[in-house]
Amino acid sequence: MRHFLFVLAAASLALLPAACGRLPGGSPASEEILTQSSEPDAGFALYQVNRAFLPTVAQWPATGKQERLSWIRGHQGARTQIIQSGDRLTLRIWDSNDNSLLTAVDQKVIQLQDIKVAANGTIFMPYVGNVNVLGLTPDLAREEMQRAIEPIVPSAQVQLSMTEGRNNSVDLISGVARPNTYPMPDRNYTVMGLISAGGGISASLNNPQIRLVRGHHIYGTSIDNLLNNPQLDTLLRGGDRVFVEEDERYFLSFGATGREDLHTFTKDEVSAMDAMSISGGFQDSRADPQGLLILREYASSAVAPGTRGPRQQRVVFTLDLTSADGLFSARTFQIQPGDLVMATESPINDALTISNIIGNFFGVFSAAGVI
């Protein structure tokens, strides 16, 4: 038994010089990536991220799954509504004449309820015929009807009220407490007003994004951007569709990070330092803070060595978080959707692993001495 234990101890001690090499681990050491990048057929380009390099990479094309949607800036709208086809008008016509064409004996008012504006923008009035009200405000439409009926019933007075139809309503589809179709009270109805009417944004959404569908176009921005920039609170048009969804962009973490996982973006812009925080930081016992790597793949059209693009499609960015410049650069370097954030392992871990093996064997020796 003692002879067998001494053989095991000798074998473990023989492994000690191998600490200078690599043992199998969950992620590579940074020097392995550096070595591969210098090979002619490496297949990727390596860039050290520092203050001098940041302006260059900021000019390179965006990558990953991210919609480059535009947004419509807000402006002041009219406090009145205009009549569209599909709206419904209610007319109350007063006539004090005893021999009125409109009212019966002892009746002073007649009400025409829910007259639908036709597709050509007209409504029908008794004794008058069709009256075009398309594009008029309710006040102007009332005046038009008053002028139309006065030659026939000089003593008549017209009142008008309006209920918005489909062309004066907007759809709030999802991401709020009360999705519904909402009538527009006037032409100054904004996106934020609609969201408020819908009960506000769902608290469960991560970095909520707002989408506005108008005709065949879709516009988008984040709710955070909208709240911080009131000038972006755009006016709605009849028929608009609005929905709020969770930010679908993500990055991956791998290696000696706190969590190896898929992480969704928690805000509009996520820096390398943010990404490390989201993924749980470095594992103190394994990670090499000099070897934080960001792996990214660009489209073939983006390859343009210099300020316009990288040397190759596949790019590895490396950051040294043991220096002040590296730390500041990590706070500025922007993560792109689909990036792989990799914390490399420290080479010293190999020696520590060997030491742990030897320590375990010495523990066995002690136990064997007691037997």
Side-chain angles (χ1 to χ4, degrees), residues 147-222:
R147 284 193 294 267
I149 202 170
E150 276 181 355
I152 301 167
V153 186
S155 59
Q157 293 182 326
V158 179
Q159 288 183 319
L160 179 148
S161 61
M162 169 185 169
T163 301
E164 292 81 2
R166 184 67 189 91
N167 290 326
N168 268 324
S169 299
V170 290
D171 294 329
L172 185 54
I173 299 172
S174 64
V176 295
R178 295 187 297 274
N180 207 339
T181 297
Y182 289 87
M184 298 171 57
D186 51 42
R187 285 174 287 164
N188 198 46
Y189 200 43
T190 66
V191 168
M192 294 305 295
L194 176 64
I195 290 175
S196 177
I201 304 295
S202 174
S204 63
L205 295 181
N206 170 63
N207 192 29
Q209 307 288 306
I210 188 164
R211 301 290 182 255
L212 168 62
V213 182
R214 177 172 293 171
H216 298 292
H217 299 280
I218 182 169
Y219 305 91
T221 187
S222 68

Side-chain angles (χ1 to χ4, degrees), residues 345-362:
E345 291 190 2
S346 174
I348 197 173
N349 283 332
D350 293 346
L352 291 176
T353 302
I354 297 296
S355 299
N356 290 337
I357 294 173
I358 296 172
N360 289 337
F361 281 129
F362 280 134

Side-chain angles (χ1 to χ4, degrees), residues 2 5-6 31 141 147 176 295 306 335 343 345:
R2 287 179 180 272
L5 293 174
F6 277 113
E31 72 268 14
R147 284 193 294 267
V176 295
L295 280 67
I335 298 298
E345 291 190 2

Side-chain angles (χ1 to χ4, degrees), residues 1-323:
M1 178 65 178
R2 287 179 180 272
H3 176 71
F4 174 70
L5 293 174
F6 277 113
V7 170
L8 288 179
S12 64
L13 289 171
L15 291 173
L16 187 57
C20 298
R22 290 288 300 155
L23 290 178
S27 61
S30 57
E31 72 268 14
E32 291 180 339
I33 301 294
L34 294 171
T35 301
Q36 292 178 34
S37 67
S38 61
E39 297 175 359
D41 59 345
F44 65 92
L46 182 72
Y47 293 95
Q48 176 72 40
V49 178
N50 50 38
R51 181 172 58 182
F53 176 68
L54 287 172
T56 297
V57 71
Q59 301 299 317
W60 292 0
T63 64
K65 182 184 178 182
Q66 53 183 343
E67 294 180 285
R68 291 296 183 180
L69 298 177
S70 60
W71 187 250
I72 307 168
R73 293 180 67 87
H75 59 275
Q76 191 69 28
R79 294 288 182 178
T80 58
Q81 189 55 281
I82 57 174
I83 298 173
Q84 301 281 359
S85 59
D87 291 342
R88 294 185 178 275
L89 306 181
T90 295
L91 302 180
R92 292 167 62 87
I93 305 175
W94 297 78
D95 188 6
S96 60
N97 195 322
D98 292 336
N99 298 315
S100 174
L101 292 173
L102 299 174
T103 58
V105 179
D106 298 329
Q107 185 183 18
K108 299 300 181 184
V109 61
I110 181 174
Q111 181 165 298
L112 305 177
Q113 187 78 27
D114 286 340
I115 306 172
K116 187 176 182 179
V117 180
N120 64 359
T122 63
I123 64 167
F124 177 79
M125 287 185 67
Y127 300 103
V128 173
N130 290 332
V131 178
N132 193 340
V133 295
L134 185 67
L136 300 179
T137 66
D139 287 341
L140 290 176
R142 188 203 67 78
E143 293 176 8
E144 182 67 23
M145 294 176 193
Q146 183 73 45
R147 284 193 294 267
I149 202 170
E150 276 181 355
I152 301 167
V153 186
S155 59
Q157 293 182 326
V158 179
Q159 288 183 319
L160 179 148
S161 61
M162 169 185 169
T163 301
E164 292 81 2
R166 184 67 189 91
N167 290 326
N168 268 324
S169 299
V170 290
D171 294 329
L172 185 54
I173 299 172
S174 64
V176 295
R178 295 187 297 274
N180 207 339
T181 297
Y182 289 87
M184 298 171 57
D186 51 42
R187 285 174 287 164
N188 198 46
Y189 200 43
T190 66
V191 168
M192 294 305 295
L194 176 64
I195 290 175
S196 177
I201 304 295
S202 174
S204 63
L205 295 181
N206 170 63
N207 192 29
Q209 307 288 306
I210 188 164
R211 301 290 182 255
L212 168 62
V213 182
R214 177 172 293 171
H216 298 292
H217 299 280
I218 182 169
Y219 305 91
T221 187
S222 68
I223 291 295
D224 186 61
N225 190 36
L226 195 60
L227 291 174
N228 291 327
N229 298 278
Q231 70 272 17
L232 298 181
D233 190 13
T234 189
L235 294 178
L236 294 168
R237 295 180 185 175
D240 282 351
R241 289 168 289 165
V242 176
F243 60 95
V244 182
E245 63 180 1
E246 190 168 73
D247 195 339
E248 295 181 345
R249 299 173 302 158
Y250 68 89
F251 69 91
L252 301 167
S253 65
F254 179 71
T257 58
R259 286 189 300 132
E260 294 182 334
D261 206 347
L262 181 151
H263 309 276
T264 56
F265 278 50
T266 58
K267 55 183 181 178
D268 290 349
E269 294 183 349
V270 172
S271 69
M273 191 64 77
D274 293 329
M276 286 306 299
S277 177
I278 294 170
S279 58
F282 288 109
Q283 289 187 13
D284 293 339
S285 61
R286 294 174 53 200
D288 178 9
Q290 291 182 310
L292 175 61
L293 307 180
I294 312 295
L295 280 67
R296 179 179 301 168
E297 188 162 1
Y298 287 87
S300 57
S301 58
V303 177
T307 56
R308 292 181 301 164
R311 297 191 303 272
Q312 297 197 44
Q313 285 184 252
R314 293 181 174 182
V315 174
V316 176
F317 301 100
T318 176
L319 295 100
D320 180 1
L321 300 189
T322 63
S323 68

